[in-house]
Structure formats: C-alpha cells, structure tokens
Amino acid sequence: MSSIATTLTKIQTVNLPRPTIDRIDALVITDAIRATGLGPGAQFYFDPTSVDMLGLLLAFGEPTLDPNQRTRFTRTVRRPSPNRESLELEIPIEGLQALDIETHIPDSERVMELSVWAGSQLLGFGINE
C-alpha cells in the first residue's frame, strides 16, 4: 500500500446501487464525508487513474464557492432532504469502470458492496470482497 493509502482509514461499507449506462444513484456516505472534514456543498474530484496505482478510487475534496459547478470527474456533496443529516455523493461512471464495476448490470439478486475510506479532504473507494 502506498503512502497516500496509509493516510486513509476505512470508515464504512455501503451497498452499491445498480448503475445504468450513464449514471449511478448517489451513495449515502455520511460518516465518510464527515471524516474528511467537509460537508454539504463540498466538491470531490475523482481520479480514475488512482485505481491502477493504488487499488482504490481516490476522490480529492475541497470546500466550494459554487455548488452547481460540475465537471466530468467532479461531484458535489448533497443532502438528500433538507430535514435529514445524511450526506450523499455520486461516483462518476468512469470511476466505477476503473474499479471494474459493470455499468450495465442486468437485474440480479447480487448486491455489490464498496468499502469507503477517508482522510483529511480525501475519500477512497474499493470493492469489498
């Protein structure tokens, strides 16, 4: 494990919603997001190339001035409802593909789990085997 991966702590395991061709439902990862020191409106830049180097999909976070800004690999932390404390984040399809997760999984009973790691303004995602 590289030095960046040793700065992360495994925070939680979540069920991965079934992705479609062009999107995935957001993951509710409140504990992991809070462990980064960030919250609603923060943006995370996903680096699909990190999977080849580290075995984890890394997402680098920062507070944002424009929560509506979105690029190909950037996603914003959201609250699913104004009355709830939970936080959610979507993983770009390219990130799932880097983890070798099929983006057109047929309906099945198989549930895939992701381990979610966190550090200071940093998230890591890996397949829970």
Side-chain angles (χ1 to χ4, degrees):
M1 191 176 260
S2 75
S3 62
I4 194 164
T6 59
T7 66
L8 298 173
T9 302
K10 184 176 177 182
I11 302 295
Q12 65 188 108
T13 301
V14 294
N15 290 337
L16 181 67
R18 287 191 181 89
T20 60
I21 299 277
D22 60 350
R23 66 180 291 274
I24 181 175
D25 290 332
L27 300 174
V28 177
I29 53 171
T30 306
D31 294 340
I33 292 169
R34 285 190 178 139
T36 67
L38 299 172
Q43 290 187 324
F44 282 87
Y45 174 82
F46 288 81
D47 180 6
T49 63
S50 64
V51 176
D52 288 337
M53 295 182 296
L54 304 171
L56 291 175
L57 173 64
L58 294 181
F60 300 90
E62 64 183 1
T64 184
L65 300 175
D66 182 7
N68 297 318
Q69 179 186 10
R70 181 172 166 159
T71 64
R72 181 175 176 191
F73 298 124
T74 303
R75 299 295 184 270
T76 302
V77 174
R78 301 181 307 240
R79 281 194 198 279
S81 165
N83 300 329
R84 297 184 66 197
E85 291 298 315
S86 56
L87 300 172
E88 65 181 20
L89 185 64
E90 178 186 331
I91 299 176
I93 291 297
E94 294 86 354
L96 295 175
Q97 290 169 338
L99 288 168
D100 288 330
I101 297 173
E102 293 292 323
T103 56
H104 53 277
I105 298 173
D107 288 339
S108 72
E109 296 300 314
R110 183 170 180 252
V111 175
M112 184 169 288
E113 292 183 328
L114 283 182
S115 293
V116 186
W117 303 71
S120 179
Q121 296 190 350
L122 181 64
L123 290 172
F125 299 88
I127 297 173
N128 192 27
E129 301 191 43

